Amino acid sequence: MLPICPKCGSSRTLRHHDGRKVCGALGSAAGAAGGFSAALSGARAGMVVGTLAVGFGPAVGGLAGALVGALAGGFAGGSAGAVVGDMLDDLVLDSQECLECGYRFPAPAQPPPSRD
């Protein structure tokens, strides 16, 4: 179902994902910060495993553990932020733009699924 512009009646509309972009970025940052905390635990575990190697083993193991923790946290936070952003786009923000007249309007409500 294509959304129709309530101002001019055109079906040429574009959906913006402003909420998804902003919340996804904020979620990634928050997740990476939270992941840093988890990364410290990962770094400690990596150092323990790295002690089995000679030389730079603990440093490399600690760095690898910290990197994995930060990446995992950033990914989880970004995914959660994108979901929240999608809900904001659908419920709060004017996420549709008419390509004919430039009017921005909220996304139309989805019809309930039919029960057969």
Side-chain angles (χ1 to χ4, degrees):
M1 176 176 115
L2 291 174
I4 304 294
C5 175
K7 187 173 181 182
C8 72
S10 173
S11 63
R12 293 189 58 227
T13 60
L14 173 69
R15 180 174 174 142
H16 292 277
H17 297 283
D18 299 330
R20 179 194 291 182
K21 292 174 190 173
V22 170
C23 290
L26 290 175
S28 291
F36 180 73
S37 168
L40 293 178
S41 298
R44 285 188 209 110
M47 287 176 148
V48 170
V49 171
T51 57
L52 300 175
V54 182
F56 294 109
V60 172
L63 181 62
L67 181 62
V68 168
L71 287 174
F75 178 75
S79 297
V83 169
V84 171
D86 273 340
M87 290 190 316
L88 281 175
D89 282 335
D90 289 341
L91 301 174
V92 177
L93 301 175
D94 292 340
S95 61
Q96 297 286 341
E97 179 180 10
C98 178
L99 297 176
E100 295 291 326
C101 67
Y103 181 68
R104 288 195 63 157
F105 56 97
Q110 297 293 327
S114 61
R115 302 192 105 193
D116 294 322

